[in-house]
Amino acid sequence: MQAIPYGRQKIDQEDIDAVVSTLQADFLTQGPKVNEFEDKFAKYVGAKYAVAVNNATSGLHIAVSALGLKVGERVITTPITFAASANCVRFVGGEVWFSDIDPDTFLLSLEHTKRLIESKPKGFFKGIIPVDFAGLPVNLEGFRELADKHGLWIIEDACHAPGGYFTDSKGNIQMCGNGNYANIGVFSFHPVKHIACGEGGMVTTNSEMLYKKLASLRTHGISKDNMSENHGGWFYEMQELGYNYRLTDIQSALGITQLAKNDKGVVRRNEIANTYKNAFKGKINYQDQPKGAYNAHHLFVIEVEDRKGLYDFLRTHRIFAQIHYIPVHTLPYYKDIGYESADLSNSEMYYSKCISLPMYPSLTDEEQRFVIEKVLSFVYG
Ligand SMILES: *Cc1c(COP(=O)(O)O)cnc(C)c1O
């Protein structure tokens, strides 16, 4: 059997044709494909505005900048995420505070976050960055209530979750990144994620003010809006310090065809998840699925006692499982800052057991049966 990775992109002829025709068109970057991708993505998640960027890390950077985060200001996130969810706060000199996960959903715990916020004076924190970990949407309704009470903003790191949703207390479906509860949502188009652009990302919001700020920061802080004085057609102003975080037309063309296939991919991911769950039920622990939530399943994580043993055993069968994630507060850069006093025991316990099994739409039934058989044979001898 072929090697089986934990994740894999799927590029078909339609994707290739779309990229080739963009290469033959007038614009390689800053052309019509970027706008088309933004419009289609905004519609897909149900947000008013979308800003395409060169990767989600840049997207997180301009998100915290657009919200006005400054040196020394404090933001809360989960330790069970990719480092970029926290790094964006450091890019602008902010302080990262970690709050623990819920041991069943593996998501940032509303209870822990509430306790952390309420243990400090008013105004101590500026924002919260919850992560739709593994593709399971955070129920942002409770976080919004908490944030409003304390004057905080919310950035939803939805990199794992295009197509996922939770159901709010009124019974309404809330798509990840729709901006109804979070101020800003951020998505990644790295090939291991759902939609592959090579590199790429999208920032979504319902606020026109934030949209304008995000679009400006993506392109050097330059604007051509102020044409009141008659300077001439070449005129532009640099209003603020921005970056070049643009996505190309080539990547956007790929993003458009990939986005069109996302629903089908998420359905297949859920089929694969259900097959794993049926095989492991009552034997091996996996991520809880709260009522009304639809998991986009970037990952399928299980918890086992001898995690290193299973990881190595699977590799001998050319099954390349992966670990998501080493808790961010234990990475050397963050360790040096010092998080000894924070109680993050659920995150540390989770990390000692977690392992992500192969999860991608093109995984075959035969390959999945092989993975399940090997996992069960390791755990049960
Ligand atoms: C992948 C990922 C990012 C960063 O995405 P890039 O597009 O690679 O910059 C940020 N947050 C989470 C949770 C991710 O999984």
Side-chain angles (χ1 to χ4, degrees):
M1 190 163 307
Q2 261 197 1
I4 307 175
Y6 84 91
R8 167 183 275 163
Q9 77 274 21
K10 190 174 173 206
I11 301 292
D12 62 22
Q13 194 57 43
E14 188 196 7
D15 297 313
I16 294 166
D17 292 345
V19 171
V20 170
S21 57
T22 303
L23 282 169
Q24 292 163 334
D26 289 340
F27 295 94
L28 296 186
T29 193
Q30 293 178 272
K33 288 291 170 191
V34 178
N35 295 333
E36 185 185 339
F37 188 28
E38 288 175 339
D39 289 349
K40 287 186 166 158
F41 197 89
K43 269 201 194 76
Y44 180 72
V45 301
K48 271 197 188 138
Y49 306 101
V51 176
V53 284
N54 59 346
N55 57 63
T57 305
S58 304
L60 286 161
H61 183 190
I62 61 172
V64 296
S65 304
L67 288 161
L69 189 70
K70 292 186 187 64
V71 176
E73 294 184 334
R74 304 174 192 89
V75 175
I76 298 171
T77 192
T78 166
I80 301 302
T81 185
F82 183 60
S85 313
N87 292 351
C88 61
V89 174
R90 302 294 301 145
F91 292 161
V92 298
E95 272 184 28
V96 180
W97 286 61
F98 295 102
S99 175
D100 213 356
I101 60 165
D102 176 287
D104 300 320
T105 63
F106 313 154
L107 303 178
L108 182 66
S109 156
L110 178 61
E111 278 313 301
H112 281 262
T113 307
K114 188 163 182 264
R115 245 181 282 146
L116 177 59
I117 292 172
E118 288 175 355
S119 72
K120 300 290 175 191
K122 207 159 172 57
F124 193 82
F125 295 105
K126 288 290 172 193
I128 313 173
I129 307 180
V131 178
D132 300 320
F133 175 73
L136 180 64
V138 173
N139 187 324
L140 290 172
E141 196 174 9
F143 277 97
R144 183 76 263 171
E145 212 172 290
L146 178 67
D148 283 347
K149 201 168 149 206
H150 296 273
L152 311 185
W153 48 252
I154 298 174
I155 297 174
E156 177 187 9
D157 183 336
C159 286
H160 295 186
Y165 62 76
F166 70 93
T167 307
D168 69 15
S169 60
K170 295 198 182 83
N172 294 322
I173 282 178
Q174 300 291 344
M175 294 286 291
C176 289
N178 73 3
N180 286 348
Y181 289 98
N183 301 75
I184 293 179
V186 179
F187 294 85
S188 170
F189 307 133
H190 184 280
V192 298
K193 312 286 164 70
H194 293 64
I195 294 164
C197 288
E199 296 281 353
M202 196 69 82
V203 186
T204 58
T205 184
N206 285 341
S207 153
E208 187 183 1
M209 192 263 292
L210 287 173
Y211 166 68
K212 285 185 172 160
K213 194 101 182 142
L214 291 162
S216 162
L217 288 168
R218 169 185 60 183
T219 305
H220 309 284
I222 281 176
S223 134
K224 283 182 82 95
D225 289 349
N226 186 15
M227 299 296 283
S228 53
E229 289 172 61
N230 190 16
H231 291 281
W234 65 86
F235 185 72
Y236 66 80
E237 284 179 329
M238 193 188 118
Q239 303 274 6
E240 61 187 329
L241 187 62
Y243 311 92
N244 178 357
Y245 284 170
R246 289 189 299 261
L247 192 69
T248 66
D249 259 44
I250 306 164
Q251 292 164 311
S252 299
L254 182 54
I256 291 164
T257 51
Q258 287 269 299
L259 174 63
K261 291 181 270 249
N262 193 56
D263 276 342
K264 218 172 127 202
V266 174
V267 167
R268 174 65 186 141
R269 286 169 184 273
N270 273 276
E271 243 172 54
I272 293 168
N274 287 333
T275 304
Y276 278 137
K277 288 180 183 181
N278 288 333
F280 299 149
K281 196 167 282 165
K283 297 176 180 153
I284 294 174
N285 195 46
Y286 46 81
Q287 188 176 29
D288 253 24
Q289 176 108 347
K291 213 169 147 261
Y294 186 55
N295 191 330
H297 275 300
H298 164 50
L299 303 173
F300 190 87
V301 181
I302 59 169
E303 292 182 302
V304 292
E305 290 305 320
D306 183 9
R307 188 269 305 280
K308 169 99 171 37
L310 178 60
Y311 176 88
D312 291 337
F313 175 76
L314 291 177
R315 285 179 82 87
T316 65
H317 294 282
R318 300 179 21 92
I319 298 166
F320 296 93
Q322 190 51 273
I323 309 306
H324 298 93
Y325 290 94
I326 302 171
V328 178
H329 66 284
T330 68
L331 298 170
Y333 171 79
Y334 283 98
K335 216 169 168 178
D336 286 351
I337 295 172
Y339 290 94
E340 293 82 5
S341 62
D343 177 15
L344 301 168
S345 50
N346 292 341
S347 301
E348 285 161 16
M349 181 59 80
Y350 162 85
Y351 171 63
S352 71
K353 297 181 188 169
C354 68
I355 180 165
S356 306
L357 299 181
M359 168 56 82
Y360 47 91
S362 59
L363 183 73
T364 67
D365 293 343
E366 190 199 353
E367 286 169 329
Q368 192 181 10
R369 270 195 297 275
F370 181 70
V371 172
I372 290 169
E373 179 206 312
K374 292 303 167 203
V375 170
L376 288 174
S377 80
F378 180 83
V379 175
Y380 286 96

